[in-house]
Amino acid sequence: MCLAVPMKIIEIKGDMAVVESAGLRRDVGVMLLDKAKLGDWVLIHAGFAISKLTPRQARQTLAIFAEMQGLG
Amino acid sequence: MAKTGLGRLADRLRAFPAPPGTKIMEVCGSHTVAIRRFGIQHLLPATVKLVSGPGCPVCVTPDHFIDEAIALARQGVTVTSFGDMLRVPGSRSALEKERAAGCDIRAVYSPLDALRIAEQEGKETVFLAVGFETTAPAIAAVAIRAGEKGIANFSLLTALRLVPPALKALMASDTELSGFLLPGHVSAVIGRQAYDFLPGQRLPGVIAGFSAEDIISSLMLLLEMHNKGIYKVMNNYPRVVRDAGNPTSRAVLAEVFTTADAAWRGLGSMPQSGLELRPAYAAMEARRRFAIRVRPGAARKACRCGDVLRGLIDPPACPLFNKACRPDQPLGPCMVSSEGSCSAWVTYG
Ligand code: SF4
């Protein structure tokens, strides 16, 4: 239940943001992060960004998800 | 053909020296699933046993909580929850059954969705606040938002739990443990420093991510420390976890919640291992807002989930495992949740 997915912030509206990954978009809260910016990669859990990632870290993490889905 | 990096890593783990009786606990349910999905349990040296811990929030939530949620739903309150909770049997029924019988029970992806339902539909709406430190800040943020927007028909039935107090209780009761594989996303919030009590108990810990490489390399770090008598907490998931965790998340959490003693399935009541709403938010606790009457239920006799959650037995040691209790017909929460050990053992072998 503690899994989180990397997504990219494509719009910020106050303490909410639109994030996107692999064509999927979501409205999420960004109040659990210190200064979320447009273009940041973030880890999303239960509708909130809980951690920032560098683009490289996000790519690695997305590759791991692909690997897990391939196995599952 | 040359071996891949992962293949070489797997070979190194297989050949890793480890004294007989080495027992490592993976605390997090997502690790349990990843380990079995990748087959990492087959790569361990013969002297090493890997056991699952209490890190599946749905699994450690006591029956009584489900009974309370059902009592609320039967009063006509809209009950919203993460989907995993709906199939968990309480002492007499499950939320899924009550929904089929006409109660308004909805699975949501985020507590924000629950708040939206309350706002748009205007009915008394309760969110089942279950989870660990990864999830608790999100629920706290929603409580703050409900307060700011003055959404008075939204409340929480709380059963949030904290990982470090559970580890303290486990290491006090199980003297055979050699180290902990520590959860990745709980640690993203609480940070490496939250486990600083481990070295004093002569136990190493490694915070791990969720790829096969992450888990295998973390297990080798644990074995290395165990072999050499080094007791440190290492962060092997620095792409996500900082030493101090996420202070903003913790500040939001601390604004809404304070710690309290709490009961866990299998582990009993543990000091300061749960969260309750602070006085300023106490009116949002569903137990205060509604009269919830629950008859004490019979203890679930044959299900050995409690022992599984303490790492005392492997799921096949339960007489019901994959016989009367199966993923399509679960009798205990460890078979219901996709992150439960019993479910992971059946699904991935
Ligand atoms: S197999 Fe089923 S009955 Fe046995 S411990 Fe697991 S969840 Fe409980």
Side-chain angles (χ1 to χ4, degrees):
Chain A
M1 213 179 98
C2 291
L3 267 187
V5 230
M7 300 182 88
K8 190 179 182 172
I9 298 180
I10 56 168
E11 195 185 331
I12 295 200
K13 312 177 264 190
D15 57 9
M16 298 292 291
V18 182
V19 292
E20 186 184 61
S21 179
L24 184 77
R25 285 186 183 195
R26 275 189 189 289
D27 287 319
V28 300
V30 289
M31 52 285 239
L32 300 178
L33 283 185
D34 183 32
K35 294 191 228 53
K37 295 187 312 296
L38 209 61
D40 278 350
W41 280 89
V42 288
L43 264 189
I44 304 296
H45 169 77
F48 287 83
I50 60 162
S51 191
K52 275 192 216 177
L53 303 168
T54 65
R56 186 160 161 262
Q57 290 163 340
R59 264 200 311 281
Q60 287 172 344
T61 310
L62 284 168
I64 291 162
F65 278 104
E67 171 193 5
M68 287 189 70
Q69 263 144 25
L71 277 169
Chain B
M1 203 174 75
K3 280 218 168 183
T4 60
L6 183 56
R8 278 198 301 273
L9 209 55
D11 288 346
R12 275 182 59 203
L13 176 58
R14 261 198 211 96
F16 215 88
T22 302
K23 181 175 175 184
I24 291 180
M25 175 176 277
E26 95 265 4
V27 175
C28 162
S30 305
H31 278 152
T32 303
V33 170
I35 285 165
R36 305 209 76 84
R37 188 176 249 181
F38 296 129
I40 293 172
Q41 75 275 23
H42 303 305
L43 304 178
L44 292 167
T47 47
V48 177
K49 186 166 168 55
L50 189 60
V51 296
S52 301
C56 153
V58 172
C59 306
V60 299
T61 303
D63 287 358
H64 184 75
F65 179 81
I66 306 285
D67 296 347
E68 287 181 304
I70 289 171
L72 278 171
R74 287 185 181 167
Q75 287 182 33
V77 172
T78 299
V79 172
T80 56
S81 169
F82 294 124
D84 259 9
M85 289 296 290
L86 300 196
R87 293 174 66 211
V88 178
S91 56
R92 288 172 204 88
S93 179
L95 287 160
E96 197 176 50
K97 275 192 206 150
E98 298 295 312
R99 182 171 64 182
C103 285
D104 187 2
I105 297 168
R106 305 187 208 176
V108 293
Y109 155 79
S110 162
L112 279 171
D113 301 334
L115 186 63
R116 204 169 299 124
I117 290 171
E119 195 175 10
Q120 289 171 354
E121 304 186 15
K123 267 181 62 184
E124 282 293 344
T125 303
V126 176
F127 179 70
L128 305 186
V130 169
F132 294 134
E133 290 93 331
T134 324
T135 317
I139 294 171
V142 168
I144 293 172
R145 180 168 274 256
E148 283 169 356
K149 290 181 131 187
I151 304 172
N153 59 319
F154 177 75
S155 56
L156 300 170
L157 187 68
T158 58
L160 292 161
R161 298 289 181 265
L162 303 172
V163 168
L167 299 186
K168 286 181 190 162
L170 279 164
M171 61 195 204
S173 70
D174 185 346
T175 49
E176 287 170 12
L177 282 175
S178 319
F180 288 111
L181 189 73
L182 296 167
H185 294 144
V186 161
S187 305
V189 173
I190 66 179
R192 189 195 51 80
Q193 61 191 25
Y195 307 102
D196 278 347
F197 58 91
L198 286 176
Q201 300 300 315
R202 303 172 66 80
L203 280 173
V206 177
I207 298 168
F210 299 92
S211 73
E213 286 91 337
D214 284 334
I215 295 171
I216 293 173
S217 63
S218 300
L219 287 170
M220 288 197 291
L221 286 169
L222 273 172
L223 293 177
E224 177 84 7
M225 287 196 279
H226 179 59
N227 290 346
K228 296 192 172 155
I230 299 170
Y231 308 112
K232 286 206 318 195
V233 180
M234 292 182 65
N235 177 7
N236 196 30
Y237 193 29
R239 8 183 234 289
V240 167
V241 177
R242 325 275 176 251
D243 260 19
N246 179 346
T248 310
S249 291
R250 279 206 311 282
V252 170
L253 184 64
E255 184 180 333
V256 175
F257 290 107
T258 179
T259 59
D261 297 351
W264 298 51
R265 182 188 308 280
L267 299 158
S269 178
M270 290 188 286
Q272 305 303 305
S273 65
L275 292 172
E276 68 181 22
L277 290 160
R278 284 190 186 278
Y281 290 90
M284 224 178 265
E285 171 58 70
R287 293 184 187 94
R288 283 216 179 180
R289 189 169 302 185
F290 306 98
I292 308 179
R293 265 182 296 276
V294 173
R295 279 183 293 135
R300 209 194 303 265
K301 281 191 213 80
C303 171
R304 299 200 50 196
C305 236
D307 294 334
V308 171
L309 290 165
R310 278 183 293 166
L312 296 182
I313 63 164
D314 285 336
C318 167
L320 307 180
F321 175 79
N322 218 7
K323 297 191 187 90
C325 180
R326 302 187 305 265
D328 60 332
Q329 183 198 305
L331 293 180
C334 302
M335 191 65 89
V336 172
S337 169
S338 57
E339 294 194 340
S341 307
C342 298
S343 154
W345 275 70
V346 176
T347 311
Y348 304 107

